[in-house]
Coordinates of all heavy atoms in Angstrom, one line a residue:
I23 N -1.6 5.2 -1.8 CA -0.5 6.0 -1.2 C 0.1 5.3 -0.1 O -0.6 4.6 0.7 CB -1.1 7.3 -0.7 CG1 -1.7 8.2 -1.8 CG2 -0.1 8.1 0.1 CD1 -2.4 9.4 -1.4
I24 N 1.4 5.3 -0.1 CA 2.2 4.5 1.0 C 3.2 5.5 1.6 O 3.6 6.5 0.9 CB 2.9 3.3 0.4 CG1 3.9 3.6 -0.7 CG2 1.9 2.2 0.0 CD1 4.8 2.5 -1.1
N25 N 3.7 5.3 2.8 CA 4.7 6.0 3.4 C 6.1 5.6 2.7 O 6.3 4.5 2.2 CB 4.8 5.7 4.9 CG 3.7 6.2 5.6 OD1 3.1 7.3 5.3 ND2 3.2 5.5 6.6
S26 N 7.0 6.6 2.6 CA 8.3 6.4 2.0 C 9.1 5.2 2.5 O 9.7 4.5 1.8 CB 9.1 7.6 2.0 OG 8.5 8.7 1.2
D27 N 8.9 5.0 3.9 CA 9.6 3.9 4.4 C 9.0 2.5 4.1 O 9.6 1.5 4.5 CB 9.7 4.1 6.0 CG 8.4 4.1 6.7 OD1 7.4 4.0 6.0 OD2 8.4 4.3 8.0
E28 N 8.0 2.5 3.4 CA 7.4 1.2 3.0 C 7.8 0.8 1.5 O 7.4 -0.3 1.0 CB 5.8 1.3 3.0 CG 5.3 1.5 4.4 CD 3.8 1.7 4.3 OE1 3.3 2.9 4.1 OE2 3.0 0.7 4.5
V29 N 8.6 1.7 0.8 CA 8.9 1.4 -0.5 C 9.7 0.1 -0.6 O 9.6 -0.6 -1.6 CB 9.7 2.6 -1.0 CG1 10.5 2.3 -2.4 CG2 8.9 3.8 -1.2
S30 N 10.5 -0.3 0.4 CA 11.3 -1.5 0.3 C 10.4 -2.7 0.3 O 10.9 -3.8 -0.2 CB 12.2 -1.6 1.5 OG 11.5 -1.6 2.7
S31 N 9.2 -2.6 0.7 CA 8.2 -3.7 0.6 C 7.5 -3.8 -0.7 O 6.7 -4.8 -0.9 CB 7.2 -3.7 1.8 OG 6.3 -2.6 1.6
V32 N 7.6 -2.9 -1.5 CA 6.9 -2.9 -2.9 C 7.5 -3.9 -3.8 O 8.7 -4.1 -4.0 CB 7.0 -1.6 -3.5 CG1 6.4 -1.6 -4.9 CG2 6.3 -0.5 -2.7
D33 N 6.6 -4.8 -4.3 CA 7.0 -5.8 -5.3 C 6.7 -5.1 -6.6 O 5.6 -5.1 -7.1 CB 6.2 -7.1 -5.2 CG 6.5 -8.1 -6.2 OD1 7.3 -7.8 -7.2 OD2 6.0 -9.2 -6.1
F34 N 7.7 -4.6 -7.3 CA 7.5 -3.8 -8.5 C 7.0 -4.7 -9.6 O 6.6 -4.2 -10.7 CB 8.8 -3.1 -8.9 CG 9.1 -1.9 -8.0 CD1 10.0 -2.0 -6.9 CD2 8.4 -0.8 -8.1 CE1 10.2 -1.0 -6.0 CE2 8.6 0.4 -7.3 CZ 9.4 0.2 -6.2
A35 N 7.0 -6.0 -9.6 CA 6.4 -6.9 -10.6 C 4.9 -6.8 -10.6 O 4.2 -7.3 -11.5 CB 6.9 -8.4 -10.4
Q36 N 4.3 -6.3 -9.4 CA 2.9 -6.3 -9.3 C 2.2 -4.9 -9.5 O 1.1 -4.8 -9.3 CB 2.5 -6.8 -7.9 CG 2.9 -8.3 -7.6 CD 2.4 -8.8 -6.2 OE1 1.3 -8.6 -5.9 NE2 3.3 -9.4 -5.6
V37 N 3.0 -3.9 -9.7 CA 2.6 -2.6 -9.9 C 3.1 -2.0 -11.2 O 4.0 -2.6 -11.8 CB 3.0 -1.6 -8.7 CG1 2.3 -2.1 -7.4 CG2 4.5 -1.5 -8.6
E38 N 2.6 -0.8 -11.6 CA 3.0 -0.2 -12.9 C 4.3 0.4 -12.8 O 5.0 0.5 -13.9 CB 1.9 0.7 -13.3 CG 0.5 0.2 -13.6 CD 0.6 -0.8 -14.7 OE1 1.1 -0.5 -15.9 OE2 0.2 -2.0 -14.5
E39 N 4.8 0.9 -11.7 CA 6.1 1.5 -11.6 C 7.1 0.4 -11.7 O 6.9 -0.8 -11.4 CB 6.2 2.2 -10.3 CG 5.4 3.4 -10.1 CD 3.9 3.1 -10.0 OE1 3.6 2.0 -9.4 OE2 3.0 3.9 -10.3
T40 N 8.4 0.8 -12.2 CA 9.3 -0.3 -12.5 C 10.4 -0.3 -11.4 O 11.1 -1.3 -11.3 CB 10.0 0.0 -13.8 OG1 10.6 1.3 -13.8 CG2 9.1 -0.2 -14.9
S41 N 10.6 0.7 -10.6 CA 11.5 0.8 -9.5 C 11.3 1.9 -8.6 O 10.5 2.8 -8.9 CB 13.0 0.9 -10.1 OG 13.2 2.2 -10.6
E42 N 12.1 2.0 -7.5 CA 12.0 3.0 -6.6 C 12.2 4.4 -7.3 O 11.7 5.4 -6.9 CB 13.0 2.8 -5.5 CG 13.0 3.9 -4.4 CD 13.9 3.6 -3.2 OE1 14.3 2.4 -3.1 OE2 14.2 4.5 -2.5
N43 N 13.1 4.4 -8.3 CA 13.4 5.6 -9.1 C 12.3 6.2 -9.9 O 12.4 7.3 -10.4 CB 14.7 5.3 -9.9 CG 15.9 4.9 -9.1 OD1 16.0 5.5 -8.0 ND2 16.7 4.1 -9.6
T44 N 11.3 5.4 -10.1 CA 10.2 5.9 -11.0 C 9.0 6.4 -10.2 O 7.9 6.7 -10.7 CB 9.7 4.8 -12.0 OG1 9.2 3.6 -11.3 CG2 10.8 4.4 -13.0
L45 N 9.1 6.4 -8.8 CA 8.0 6.8 -8.0 C 8.0 8.3 -7.9 O 9.0 9.0 -8.0 CB 8.2 6.2 -6.6 CG 8.1 4.7 -6.5 CD1 8.6 4.3 -5.1 CD2 6.8 4.2 -6.8
R46 N 6.8 8.9 -7.7 CA 6.6 10.3 -7.5 C 6.3 10.5 -5.9 O 5.5 9.7 -5.4 CB 5.4 10.8 -8.2 CG 5.1 12.3 -7.9 CD 4.0 12.9 -8.6 NE 3.6 14.2 -8.1 CZ 2.6 14.9 -8.5 NH1 1.8 14.5 -9.5 NH2 2.3 16.1 -7.9

Side-chain angles (χ1 to χ4, degrees):
I23 296 172
I24 60 172
N25 292 323
S26 296
D27 61 0
E28 296 175 274
V29 169
S30 62
S31 70
V32 173
D33 179 353
F34 287 98
Q36 296 184 51
V37 296
E38 295 299 307
E39 292 73 23
T40 57
S41 73
E42 184 176 341
N43 297 328
T44 61
L45 297 172
R46 176 179 170 183

